Amino acid sequence: MERLGMDKAFAEHFAAKWIESWNAHDLVRILSHYEDDFEMSSPVIIQVVGEPSGILKGKAAVAAYWKKALKLIPDLQFELLSILAGVNSITLYYKGAHGCLVAEVFHFGPDQKVTKAFAHYAV
């Protein structure tokens, strides 16, 4: 049966580059994966920047959040566990800060940049 959905090579390339960017703490490289007006949803947004909706929109707002988060966790490293492919989306399952399990869903636009991202953490 033919596999439909996200291209495997793209998914693997995106995952590798995304993890490398985060592990290098390189905010410019991290943001290069996203459209300028992308939307980010995460319960950590509530904790770190006090946004009660847990949603930020646009690179400037998300960059400020990620910059603050990287300062709070200077030894942050991600360990990729699995890549799940959907239709125009990828879910990366990884170990995040302090070994916490994270599933992050990325929706892509036609230029293969992230338009929306949704982070989920093990409870």
Side-chain angles (χ1 to χ4, degrees), residues 58-81:
K59 278 188 178 180
V62 178
Y65 154 58
W66 284 340
K67 185 175 182 179
K68 187 172 181 181
L70 285 169
K71 283 185 180 177
L72 291 171
I73 311 169
D75 60 345
L76 179 69
Q77 293 290 295
F78 293 162
E79 178 188 344
L80 183 63
L81 301 174

Side-chain angles (χ1 to χ4, degrees), residues 1-59:
M1 184 170 131
E2 182 181 340
R3 190 168 183 184
L4 302 175
M6 186 60 69
D7 177 72
K8 181 181 182 202
F10 171 78
E12 290 173 344
H13 178 77
F14 173 84
K17 293 301 180 189
W18 189 85
I19 293 285
E20 286 172 14
S21 300
W22 274 101
N23 287 347
H25 295 205
D26 187 334
L27 197 51
V28 172
R29 280 179 43 205
I30 294 166
L31 289 166
S32 73
H33 302 286
Y34 300 84
E35 289 187 355
D36 289 341
D37 63 345
F38 84 101
E39 185 176 291
M40 176 75 204
S41 169
S42 171
V44 179
I45 289 171
I46 299 166
Q47 296 171 331
V48 173
V49 295
E51 170 52 53
S53 69
I55 299 169
L56 295 173
K57 189 165 177 89
K59 278 188 178 180

Side-chain angles (χ1 to χ4, degrees), residues 65-123:
Y65 154 58
W66 284 340
K67 185 175 182 179
K68 187 172 181 181
L70 285 169
K71 283 185 180 177
L72 291 171
I73 311 169
D75 60 345
L76 179 69
Q77 293 290 295
F78 293 162
E79 178 188 344
L80 183 63
L81 301 174
S82 187
I83 305 166
L84 307 170
V87 177
N88 296 322
S89 65
I90 295 170
T91 299
L92 299 184
Y93 183 54
Y94 60 94
K95 285 185 184 176
H98 313 294
C100 178
L101 295 176
V102 184
E104 193 155 345
V105 182
F106 302 90
H107 289 263
F108 295 86
D111 62 354
Q112 297 189 319
K113 298 273 188 184
V114 177
T115 59
K116 289 187 178 184
F118 306 88
H120 303 78
Y121 298 85
V123 292

